[in-house]
Amino acid sequence: MSLEAIRYQRGQLEILNQLLLPTQSVYEEIRGVEDGWNAIKLMKVRGAPAIAIVASLSVAVELVQHSFTSKDELLQFVGKAYERLLTARKTAVNVYKASESVRSYLSSLQDDVMEIKEKLLTFLEKMLTDDVADNKAIGDFGAKWITDNANKDKVQVLTHCNTGSLATAGYGTALGIIRSLHENGTLSSVYCTETRPYNQGARLTAYELVYENIPSTLICDSMAAVLMKERGIDAVIVGADRVAANGDTANKIGTYQLAIAAKYHGVAFIIAAPVTSIDFSCPSGDHIKVEERPAEEMLCFRGERVAAESIGCWNPAFDVTPADLISVIVTDRGAYKPAEIHKLQ
Ligand code: MRU
C-alpha cells in the first residue's frame, strides 16, 4: 500500500504530520478551517496539491458541523473559510484554483440549502480522488516522454524536494513519473536531493523511495552539477507550485540552479504538474510572489541551532525557473513545450 498523507471520511480528516517523518508516523486530526490553516502554515502538510486538498477538506469537515438557513449564508461561510486558508502559504496556486472552482460551482446551484450543502460536500471530496487520477496520467505521459526521448532501455533521473504521495492525494507528480518508469521497468535508478533548507528530499522523498523499493540514492543539493557530469543523468524531474502562462515555473528553492546545470550538461529538464498548477492569469514568473519562511527553518535543525549566532538569513521557499530552461511540462492532459501550454487554457 502506498503512503497516505491525507485520511478522510465524511466529517473526519487526518493528516500525517510530515514534520515528524521519517522517525515517527503520527496522524493528526483536522477539525476545521483553523486546524487546516495551522497544518499548512507549519508545513505539517505541504506540496501544492496536498495544500489545496487539505484546505478544501478542512472546509468540508467544518461544513458538516454547521447548518445553514440560506444559500447566501453558505456562500458567505465558504468565502470566509477560503479567504483565511489562502493566507497560509502564498506561492502555490492550486488552493486559489480550488477556491475559485468551489465558489463558481456553488453559484451555479439552485437547489434548497440542504441539497446544496450535500452537493458541495461531494464536490470537495471529489478533489481527493481526482488528484490521484491526474497524477497517474502525469506519470504515464511523463514516463512515455522520457523513454521516447532517451533512446535507451533504462534511464537514470534526478529529482528535487518531495512531489510524491506525501505532497498529493497519492502517487505524486514528478515522483509519479518516477513511479511509472519503475513500474514499466525503464528506471535504472533515481537520485534525490536533500532539498535544503528544510530537507523535504532527505526526510520525505528518501522515505517514500525506500518505502516503495525504488532504487535510489540521496545527494546534497551542492552535488547536483557533478552528478550530471559524472553519473549520466538522463532527466531532472521536478514539480511546480505555480506555472505562469509563459511557462516560467515557481518550485522549491534550488530548482532554478538545477535547470541551469541541466542545460549546461544537455540533460532534459522536466516539470510535472497538474493543469491546476498553471496560472493563466499570471503572464510570467516576474509576477509570482515567493513566500519567505522563518529563519529558524534554515538556522536550526530540529530545534537546535546549527549556524553562528547573529548571522543574517534570507530564506525564500521557492525560486522561478525561466521557461527557456524547461524541456517540457508534463500535465494530466499530456506533455507540452512551455510555449504550448496556452492550449490547455
Ligand atoms: O515548501 P513545500 O514543501 O510545500 O514545497 C513543495 C514543492 O516545491 C513541490 O515541488 C511542489 O509543491 C509540487 S508537489 C507535487
Side-chain angles (χ1 to χ4, degrees), residues 43 45-51 89 92 160-164 167-168 172-174 200 204 238-241 250-253 255 272 274 291 293 317-318:
M43 291 176 67
V45 64
R46 25 67 48 207
I51 291 171
R89 296 193 70 194
H160 185 55
C161 197
N162 175 266
T163 59
T168 61
T173 57
Q200 289 93 327
L204 309 175
V238 297
D241 286 84
N251 190 50
K252 179 51 53 194
I253 191 77
T255 302
E291 172 193 8
R293 297 289 305 172
F318 304 99

mmCIF file of all heavy atoms in Angstrom, residues 43 45-51 89 92 160-164 167-168 172-174 200 204 238-241 250-253 255 272 274 291 293 317-318, ligand 1:
data_model
loop_
_atom_site.group_PDB
_atom_site.id
_atom_site.type_symbol
_atom_site.label_atom_id
_atom_site.label_comp_id
_atom_site.label_asym_id
_atom_site.label_seq_id
_atom_site.Cartn_x
_atom_site.Cartn_y
_atom_site.Cartn_z
ATOM 1 N N MET A 43 3.656 23.612 7.852
ATOM 2 C CA MET A 43 4.174 22.600 6.918
ATOM 3 C C MET A 43 4.092 21.177 7.470
ATOM 4 O O MET A 43 4.908 20.330 7.129
ATOM 5 C CB MET A 43 5.595 22.962 6.449
ATOM 6 C CG MET A 43 5.583 24.189 5.556
ATOM 7 S SD MET A 43 7.199 24.767 5.032
ATOM 8 C CE MET A 43 7.753 23.458 3.979
ATOM 9 N N VAL A 45 1.617 19.554 6.624
ATOM 10 C CA VAL A 45 1.268 19.054 5.301
ATOM 11 C C VAL A 45 1.777 20.108 4.332
ATOM 12 O O VAL A 45 1.717 21.302 4.614
ATOM 13 C CB VAL A 45 -0.251 18.812 5.170
ATOM 14 C CG1 VAL A 45 -1.059 20.079 5.299
ATOM 15 C CG2 VAL A 45 -0.580 18.150 3.845
ATOM 16 N N ARG A 46 2.339 19.650 3.205
ATOM 17 C CA ARG A 46 2.914 20.611 2.253
ATOM 18 C C ARG A 46 2.898 19.969 0.870
ATOM 19 O O ARG A 46 2.515 18.813 0.718
ATOM 20 C CB ARG A 46 4.312 21.119 2.679
ATOM 21 C CG ARG A 46 5.143 20.270 3.558
ATOM 22 C CD ARG A 46 5.621 18.987 2.940
ATOM 23 N NE ARG A 46 6.191 19.223 1.641
ATOM 24 C CZ ARG A 46 6.239 18.348 0.663
ATOM 25 N NH1 ARG A 46 5.736 17.118 0.836
ATOM 26 N NH2 ARG A 46 6.766 18.625 -0.506
ATOM 27 N N GLY A 47 3.355 20.754 -0.126
ATOM 28 C CA GLY A 47 3.217 20.300 -1.506
ATOM 29 C C GLY A 47 1.947 20.921 -2.068
ATOM 30 O O GLY A 47 0.885 20.842 -1.434
ATOM 31 N N ALA A 48 2.068 21.526 -3.258
ATOM 32 C CA ALA A 48 0.957 22.339 -3.784
ATOM 33 C C ALA A 48 -0.393 21.610 -3.852
ATOM 34 O O ALA A 48 -1.401 22.131 -3.355
ATOM 35 C CB ALA A 48 1.351 22.892 -5.158
ATOM 36 N N PRO A 49 -0.455 20.384 -4.419
ATOM 37 C CA PRO A 49 -1.777 19.734 -4.478
ATOM 38 C C PRO A 49 -2.311 19.375 -3.089
ATOM 39 O O PRO A 49 -3.503 19.563 -2.804
ATOM 40 C CB PRO A 49 -1.516 18.468 -5.316
ATOM 41 C CG PRO A 49 -0.262 18.769 -6.088
ATOM 42 C CD PRO A 49 0.559 19.624 -5.183
ATOM 43 N N ALA A 50 -1.435 18.890 -2.199
ATOM 44 C CA ALA A 50 -1.889 18.495 -0.856
ATOM 45 C C ALA A 50 -2.397 19.706 -0.075
ATOM 46 O O ALA A 50 -3.366 19.603 0.690
ATOM 47 C CB ALA A 50 -0.772 17.794 -0.092
ATOM 48 N N ILE A 51 -1.769 20.851 -0.268
ATOM 49 C CA ILE A 51 -2.229 22.075 0.415
ATOM 50 C C ILE A 51 -3.674 22.381 -0.005
ATOM 51 O O ILE A 51 -4.546 22.646 0.830
ATOM 52 C CB ILE A 51 -1.294 23.269 0.086
ATOM 53 C CG1 ILE A 51 0.081 23.075 0.750
ATOM 54 C CG2 ILE A 51 -1.924 24.596 0.493
ATOM 55 C CD1 ILE A 51 1.146 24.085 0.314
ATOM 56 N N ARG A 89 -0.142 29.922 2.888
ATOM 57 C CA ARG A 89 1.082 29.898 2.056
ATOM 58 C C ARG A 89 0.693 30.464 0.692
ATOM 59 O O ARG A 89 -0.303 30.044 0.119
ATOM 60 C CB ARG A 89 1.624 28.463 1.943
ATOM 61 C CG ARG A 89 2.073 27.932 3.291
ATOM 62 C CD ARG A 89 2.886 26.676 3.146
ATOM 63 N NE ARG A 89 4.177 26.933 2.557
ATOM 64 C CZ ARG A 89 4.964 25.961 2.070
ATOM 65 N NH1 ARG A 89 4.565 24.705 2.083
ATOM 66 N NH2 ARG A 89 6.152 26.253 1.563
ATOM 67 N N ALA A 92 1.930 28.568 -3.964
ATOM 68 C CA ALA A 92 1.229 27.506 -4.709
ATOM 69 C C ALA A 92 -0.149 27.992 -5.150
ATOM 70 O O ALA A 92 -0.918 28.525 -4.355
ATOM 71 C CB ALA A 92 1.092 26.257 -3.834
ATOM 72 N N HIS A 160 13.988 16.651 -7.056
ATOM 73 C CA HIS A 160 14.247 17.659 -6.024
ATOM 74 C C HIS A 160 12.984 17.843 -5.196
ATOM 75 O O HIS A 160 11.878 17.752 -5.714
ATOM 76 C CB HIS A 160 14.605 18.971 -6.741
ATOM 77 C CG HIS A 160 15.021 20.092 -5.842
ATOM 78 N ND1 HIS A 160 16.044 20.003 -4.930
ATOM 79 C CD2 HIS A 160 14.562 21.373 -5.736
ATOM 80 C CE1 HIS A 160 16.201 21.162 -4.308
ATOM 81 N NE2 HIS A 160 15.310 22.009 -4.771
ATOM 82 N N CYS A 161 13.161 18.103 -3.916
ATOM 83 C CA CYS A 161 12.043 18.312 -2.990
ATOM 84 C C CYS A 161 11.189 17.052 -2.885
ATOM 85 O O CYS A 161 11.667 15.949 -3.189
ATOM 86 C CB CYS A 161 11.201 19.515 -3.394
ATOM 87 S SG CYS A 161 10.127 20.098 -2.049
ATOM 88 N N ASN A 162 9.966 17.167 -2.439
ATOM 89 C CA ASN A 162 9.077 15.992 -2.373
ATOM 90 C C ASN A 162 7.799 16.274 -3.152
ATOM 91 O O ASN A 162 7.087 17.242 -2.888
ATOM 92 C CB ASN A 162 8.711 15.634 -0.934
ATOM 93 C CG ASN A 162 7.693 14.504 -0.916
ATOM 94 O OD1 ASN A 162 6.487 14.736 -0.856
ATOM 95 N ND2 ASN A 162 8.159 13.275 -1.051
ATOM 96 N N THR A 163 7.549 15.401 -4.123
ATOM 97 C CA THR A 163 6.386 15.562 -5.011
ATOM 98 C C THR A 163 5.580 14.265 -5.059
ATOM 99 O O THR A 163 4.871 14.013 -6.021
ATOM 100 C CB THR A 163 6.868 15.886 -6.435
ATOM 101 O OG1 THR A 163 7.712 14.787 -6.855
ATOM 102 C CG2 THR A 163 7.658 17.171 -6.513
ATOM 103 N N GLY A 164 5.708 13.448 -4.035
ATOM 104 C CA GLY A 164 5.123 12.107 -4.076
ATOM 105 C C GLY A 164 3.768 12.016 -3.398
ATOM 106 O O GLY A 164 3.007 12.990 -3.342
ATOM 107 N N ALA A 167 2.916 14.730 -0.979
ATOM 108 C CA ALA A 167 2.657 16.095 -1.450
ATOM 109 C C ALA A 167 1.344 16.191 -2.221
ATOM 110 O O ALA A 167 0.987 17.270 -2.704
ATOM 111 C CB ALA A 167 3.812 16.545 -2.348
ATOM 112 N N THR A 168 0.669 15.055 -2.342
ATOM 113 C CA THR A 168 -0.550 14.985 -3.167
ATOM 114 C C THR A 168 -1.561 14.079 -2.444
ATOM 115 O O THR A 168 -1.320 13.654 -1.321
ATOM 116 C CB THR A 168 -0.212 14.357 -4.539
ATOM 117 O OG1 THR A 168 0.288 13.023 -4.314
ATOM 118 C CG2 THR A 168 0.838 15.155 -5.301
ATOM 119 N N GLY A 172 1.689 10.978 -6.717
ATOM 120 C CA GLY A 172 2.662 12.045 -6.898
ATOM 121 C C GLY A 172 2.765 12.537 -8.331
ATOM 122 O O GLY A 172 2.253 11.914 -9.264
ATOM 123 N N THR A 173 3.462 13.676 -8.494
ATOM 124 C CA THR A 173 3.607 14.294 -9.829
ATOM 125 C C THR A 173 4.975 13.904 -10.408
ATOM 126 O O THR A 173 5.063 12.946 -11.175
ATOM 127 C CB THR A 173 3.425 15.820 -9.724
ATOM 128 O OG1 THR A 173 4.375 16.350 -8.775
ATOM 129 C CG2 THR A 173 2.021 16.176 -9.299
ATOM 130 N N ALA A 174 6.038 14.635 -10.041
ATOM 131 C CA ALA A 174 7.376 14.237 -10.515
ATOM 132 C C ALA A 174 7.695 12.823 -10.013
ATOM 133 O O ALA A 174 8.193 11.969 -10.765
ATOM 134 C CB ALA A 174 8.423 15.239 -10.020
ATOM 135 N N GLN A 200 13.086 18.438 2.615
ATOM 136 C CA GLN A 200 11.959 17.596 2.162
ATOM 137 C C GLN A 200 12.446 16.373 1.385
ATOM 138 O O GLN A 200 11.790 15.343 1.369
ATOM 139 C CB GLN A 200 11.001 18.409 1.268
ATOM 140 C CG GLN A 200 10.176 19.445 1.998
ATOM 141 C CD GLN A 200 10.845 20.805 2.006
ATOM 142 O OE1 GLN A 200 12.076 20.901 2.047
ATOM 143 N NE2 GLN A 200 10.056 21.856 1.987
ATOM 144 N N LEU A 204 11.546 13.225 3.361
ATOM 145 C CA LEU A 204 10.286 12.705 2.811
ATOM 146 C C LEU A 204 10.475 11.881 1.530
ATOM 147 O O LEU A 204 9.965 10.767 1.439
ATOM 148 C CB LEU A 204 9.321 13.871 2.542
ATOM 149 C CG LEU A 204 9.119 14.836 3.731
ATOM 150 C CD1 LEU A 204 8.256 16.020 3.338
ATOM 151 C CD2 LEU A 204 8.489 14.101 4.915
ATOM 152 N N VAL A 238 11.012 17.564 -11.748
ATOM 153 C CA VAL A 238 10.591 18.293 -10.541
ATOM 154 C C VAL A 238 9.110 18.664 -10.644
ATOM 155 O O VAL A 238 8.523 18.579 -11.728
ATOM 156 C CB VAL A 238 11.422 19.591 -10.335
ATOM 157 C CG1 VAL A 238 12.895 19.276 -10.107
ATOM 158 C CG2 VAL A 238 11.257 20.531 -11.516
ATOM 159 N N GLY A 239 8.542 19.119 -9.549
ATOM 160 C CA GLY A 239 7.145 19.545 -9.530
ATOM 161 C C GLY A 239 7.027 21.043 -9.758
ATOM 162 O O GLY A 239 7.967 21.698 -10.231
ATOM 163 N N ALA A 240 5.870 21.595 -9.414
ATOM 164 C CA ALA A 240 5.643 23.039 -9.586
ATOM 165 C C ALA A 240 4.655 23.524 -8.543
ATOM 166 O O ALA A 240 3.734 22.804 -8.157
ATOM 167 C CB ALA A 240 5.075 23.322 -10.967
ATOM 168 N N ASP A 241 4.874 24.747 -8.090
ATOM 169 C CA ASP A 241 3.901 25.398 -7.215
ATOM 170 C C ASP A 241 3.020 26.363 -7.998
ATOM 171 O O ASP A 241 1.870 26.594 -7.650
ATOM 172 C CB ASP A 241 4.604 26.117 -6.070
ATOM 173 C CG ASP A 241 5.103 25.087 -5.071
ATOM 174 O OD1 ASP A 241 6.193 24.534 -5.293
ATOM 175 O OD2 ASP A 241 4.359 24.783 -4.119
ATOM 176 N N ALA A 250 7.500 28.400 -10.822
ATOM 177 C CA ALA A 250 7.951 28.507 -9.425
ATOM 178 C C ALA A 250 7.921 27.116 -8.802
ATOM 179 O O ALA A 250 6.922 26.399 -8.907
ATOM 180 C CB ALA A 250 7.036 29.441 -8.645
ATOM 181 N N ASN A 251 9.007 26.743 -8.183
ATOM 182 C CA ASN A 251 9.084 25.465 -7.462
ATOM 183 C C ASN A 251 10.092 25.624 -6.330
ATOM 184 O O ASN A 251 10.718 26.684 -6.168
ATOM 185 C CB ASN A 251 9.465 24.331 -8.419
ATOM 186 C CG ASN A 251 9.324 22.966 -7.761
ATOM 187 O OD1 ASN A 251 8.289 22.660 -7.178
ATOM 188 N ND2 ASN A 251 10.365 22.157 -7.815
ATOM 189 N N LYS A 252 10.260 24.573 -5.550
ATOM 190 C CA LYS A 252 11.125 24.602 -4.375
ATOM 191 C C LYS A 252 12.476 25.267 -4.666
ATOM 192 O O LYS A 252 13.081 25.024 -5.702
ATOM 193 C CB LYS A 252 11.326 23.161 -3.887
ATOM 194 C CG LYS A 252 12.219 22.964 -2.688
ATOM 195 C CD LYS A 252 11.887 23.842 -1.504
ATOM 196 C CE LYS A 252 10.457 23.792 -1.049
ATOM 197 N NZ LYS A 252 10.113 24.902 -0.104
ATOM 198 N N ILE A 253 12.929 26.077 -3.731
ATOM 199 C CA ILE A 253 14.214 26.757 -3.861
ATOM 200 C C ILE A 253 15.307 25.732 -4.239
ATOM 201 O O ILE A 253 15.367 24.646 -3.656
ATOM 202 C CB ILE A 253 14.563 27.521 -2.554
ATOM 203 C CG1 ILE A 253 15.748 28.458 -2.757
ATOM 204 C CG2 ILE A 253 14.795 26.600 -1.375
ATOM 205 C CD1 ILE A 253 15.403 29.707 -3.476
ATOM 206 N N THR A 255 15.525 24.720 -7.482
ATOM 207 C CA THR A 255 15.107 24.186 -8.787
ATOM 208 C C THR A 255 15.811 24.933 -9.922
ATOM 209 O O THR A 255 16.284 24.332 -10.896
ATOM 210 C CB THR A 255 13.571 24.313 -8.934
ATOM 211 O OG1 THR A 255 12.960 23.601 -7.865
ATOM 212 C CG2 THR A 255 13.090 23.743 -10.250
ATOM 213 N N ALA A 272 6.658 18.513 -13.796
ATOM 214 C CA ALA A 272 5.491 17.640 -13.736
ATOM 215 C C ALA A 272 4.456 18.313 -12.844
ATOM 216 O O ALA A 272 4.729 18.561 -11.662
ATOM 217 C CB ALA A 272 5.878 16.290 -13.144
ATOM 218 N N PRO A 274 -0.141 19.098 -12.410
ATOM 219 C CA PRO A 274 -1.488 19.074 -12.989
ATOM 220 C C PRO A 274 -1.812 20.424 -13.618
ATOM 221 O O PRO A 274 -1.203 21.443 -13.264
ATOM 222 C CB PRO A 274 -2.384 18.812 -11.766
ATOM 223 C CG PRO A 274 -1.595 19.261 -10.592
ATOM 224 C CD PRO A 274 -0.153 19.073 -10.949
ATOM 225 N N GLU A 291 7.096 33.044 -1.316
ATOM 226 C CA GLU A 291 6.991 33.028 0.147
ATOM 227 C C GLU A 291 8.383 32.992 0.778
ATOM 228 O O GLU A 291 9.264 32.283 0.295
ATOM 229 C CB GLU A 291 6.226 31.749 0.532
ATOM 230 C CG GLU A 291 6.178 31.452 2.010
ATOM 231 C CD GLU A 291 5.678 30.019 2.290
ATOM 232 O OE1 GLU A 291 5.520 29.224 1.347
ATOM 233 O OE2 GLU A 291 5.471 29.715 3.472
ATOM 234 N N ARG A 293 10.241 31.946 4.319
ATOM 235 C CA ARG A 293 9.950 31.144 5.508
ATOM 236 C C ARG A 293 10.759 31.663 6.694
ATOM 237 O O ARG A 293 11.762 32.359 6.522
ATOM 238 C CB ARG A 293 10.315 29.674 5.245
ATOM 239 C CG ARG A 293 9.524 28.987 4.152
ATOM 240 C CD ARG A 293 8.090 28.698 4.515
ATOM 241 N NE ARG A 293 7.958 27.921 5.740
ATOM 242 C CZ ARG A 293 6.762 27.686 6.322
ATOM 243 N NH1 ARG A 293 5.644 28.172 5.793
ATOM 244 N NH2 ARG A 293 6.701 26.972 7.420
ATOM 245 N N ALA A 317 11.346 30.361 0.016
ATOM 246 C CA ALA A 317 10.954 28.943 -0.057
ATOM 247 C C ALA A 317 10.966 28.412 -1.491
ATOM 248 O O ALA A 317 11.016 27.202 -1.705
ATOM 249 C CB ALA A 317 9.567 28.768 0.537
ATOM 250 N N PHE A 318 10.886 29.318 -2.465
ATOM 251 C CA PHE A 318 10.781 28.892 -3.862
ATOM 252 C C PHE A 318 11.669 29.763 -4.742
ATOM 253 O O PHE A 318 12.092 30.839 -4.330
ATOM 254 C CB PHE A 318 9.322 29.022 -4.346
ATOM 255 C CG PHE A 318 8.356 28.258 -3.473
ATOM 256 C CD1 PHE A 318 7.616 28.909 -2.485
ATOM 257 C CD2 PHE A 318 8.204 26.899 -3.613
ATOM 258 C CE1 PHE A 318 6.749 28.200 -1.653
ATOM 259 C CE2 PHE A 318 7.332 26.176 -2.791
ATOM 260 C CZ PHE A 318 6.613 26.833 -1.818
HETATM 261 O O1 MRU B 1 7.563 24.066 0.581
HETATM 262 P P1 MRU B 1 6.943 22.808 0.065
HETATM 263 O O2 MRU B 1 7.481 21.567 0.667
HETATM 264 O O3 MRU B 1 5.431 22.885 0.101
HETATM 265 O O4 MRU B 1 7.358 22.794 -1.475
HETATM 266 C C1 MRU B 1 6.918 21.763 -2.297
HETATM 267 C C2 MRU B 1 7.366 21.890 -3.708
HETATM 268 O O5 MRU B 1 8.022 22.827 -4.085
HETATM 269 C C3 MRU B 1 6.866 20.853 -4.663
HETATM 270 O O6 MRU B 1 7.803 20.620 -5.663
HETATM 271 C C4 MRU B 1 5.563 21.348 -5.319
HETATM 272 O O7 MRU B 1 4.664 21.848 -4.370
HETATM 273 C C5 MRU B 1 4.898 20.262 -6.080
HETATM 274 S S1 MRU B 1 4.294 18.962 -5.047
HETATM 275 C C6 MRU B 1 3.540 17.840 -6.066
#
